[in-house]
Amino acid sequence: MKKDLITLLDCSDAEVLRLIDTADQLKKNRTLRPDLKGKSIAMVFQKPSNRTRVSFSVGVYELGGHSLYLGPEEISLGKRESIYDVAKTLSRYVHGIVARVFHHSDMLELAKHADVPVINALCDVHHPCQALADVQTIREHFGRLQGLTLAYVGDGNNVFHSLAICCAKTGMHVRFAGPQGYDPNPEILKQAQAAAAKNKVSITCGRDPQAAVKGAHVIYSDVWVSMGQEEETAERIKDFKGYQINAGLVKGADKNFIFMHCLPAHRGLEVTVDVIDGERSRIFDQAENRLHVQKAVLLHLLKGKAR
Ligand code: CP
Ligand code: NVA
């Protein structure tokens, strides 16, 4: 693996599968381990978080290391200090940096100047740890990945980008449906589609949620308004009308489909209560798997497993 995990585009198909395999093993045997004994991890967060923050803190603890949470008030990345100075300074203290930032370009700059591994804990373009946990969850449910179809209905955002890449690299078909103006980033889509083609699967984009969901094994949704887009809330809620996941829409899916959402969710907007809290929903398995897969990422980057 590379020094950092910024985007899954930087990982080979085999590396993605190895991370998920390691996560499965860690889940089966959840004990305190000494792998990161004596190591400290800085968690630089510019945005709020429940799952990412808690699962990384607990994960580092369970691997024998120590984590430091540095919220927006503490580090004020690029404002109180340049990203360069933050990267160089932290690298003298800690053995790894987990970062949640607004701009992808800030993530790249942090990784470029840090002398220790940087893990992307969400930026405006990618959310790789989420996608790894999601694909782990899908494999747990179906016992396989190859040839399954995931339908994503909503915003072509950070969560979609990473999920599309991860599915492509593990041999899953992806169908995206969203309103005009909210398509995925074309450059990322192109690269994800190239990865999919290598595995003889496809990523398609359209406007029709029914067509996307038809026969799908996984139905996925995320919020319509991501962190940092709060000012666009009214406009987005209007634009995403018709892209709600509800009982009517999921009728078209495979009979064994599962519903997934990275959380936090807005019940009654992107998904109805009956679906997200229904028997097909796997939202808390996804949330749990963040812990296992991020422990796997830490082991691979910091201990050189499978490097
Ligand atoms: N899914 C996810 O990343 O959740 P948090 O924003 O709570 O970390
Ligand atoms: N797309 C969402 C994901 C939150 C985990 C956001 O960026 O806010």
Side-chain angles (χ1 to χ4, degrees), residues 128-142:
C129 298
Q130 181 68 53
L132 289 168
D134 294 340
V135 171
Q136 183 191 3
T137 308
I138 296 168
R139 194 171 69 173
E140 272 174 356
H141 181 81
F142 291 100

Side-chain angles (χ1 to χ4, degrees), residues 52 100 120-123 125-131 158-159 162 290:
T52 310
R100 169 168 284 199
N120 185 349
L122 182 145
C123 63
V125 185
H126 294 285
H127 198 3
C129 298
Q130 181 68 53
N158 45 8
V159 167
S162 292
R290 295 291 303 278

Side-chain angles (χ1 to χ4, degrees), residues 221 245-247 250 259-268 270-284 286:
S221 83
I245 297 185
N246 53 38
V250 304
F259 170 77
M260 300 180 79
H261 191 305
C262 58
L263 305 178
H266 297 102
R267 287 165 172 78
E270 72 269 12
V271 57
T272 52
V273 173
D274 53 335
V275 173
I276 193 167
D277 296 323
E279 57 171 7
R280 313 306 305 168
S281 178
R282 291 293 176 276
I283 56 174
F284 299 117
Q286 295 173 255

Side-chain angles (χ1 to χ4, degrees), residues 48-125:
S49 170
N50 170 9
R51 281 146 291 275
T52 310
R53 176 182 175 176
V54 177
S55 56
F56 263 113
S57 309
V58 172
V60 170
Y61 164 75
E62 291 184 0
L63 293 176
H66 170 67
S67 66
L68 299 99
Y69 175 76
L70 302 163
E73 300 308 314
E74 277 90 21
I75 289 257
S76 199
L77 202 64
K79 291 192 190 110
R80 181 170 182 265
E81 243 180 326
S82 69
I83 295 176
Y84 177 86
D85 286 358
V86 170
K88 288 294 176 201
T89 304
L90 286 179
S91 299
R92 298 292 179 104
Y93 299 134
V94 301
H95 303 85
I97 301 172
V98 173
R100 169 168 284 199
V101 304
F102 282 98
H103 306 296
H104 181 58
S105 53
D106 290 353
M107 186 70 72
L108 291 176
E109 200 177 339
L110 187 66
K112 181 175 165 199
H113 299 303
D115 304 308
V116 296
V118 173
I119 299 171
N120 185 349
L122 182 145
C123 63
D124 55 347
V125 185

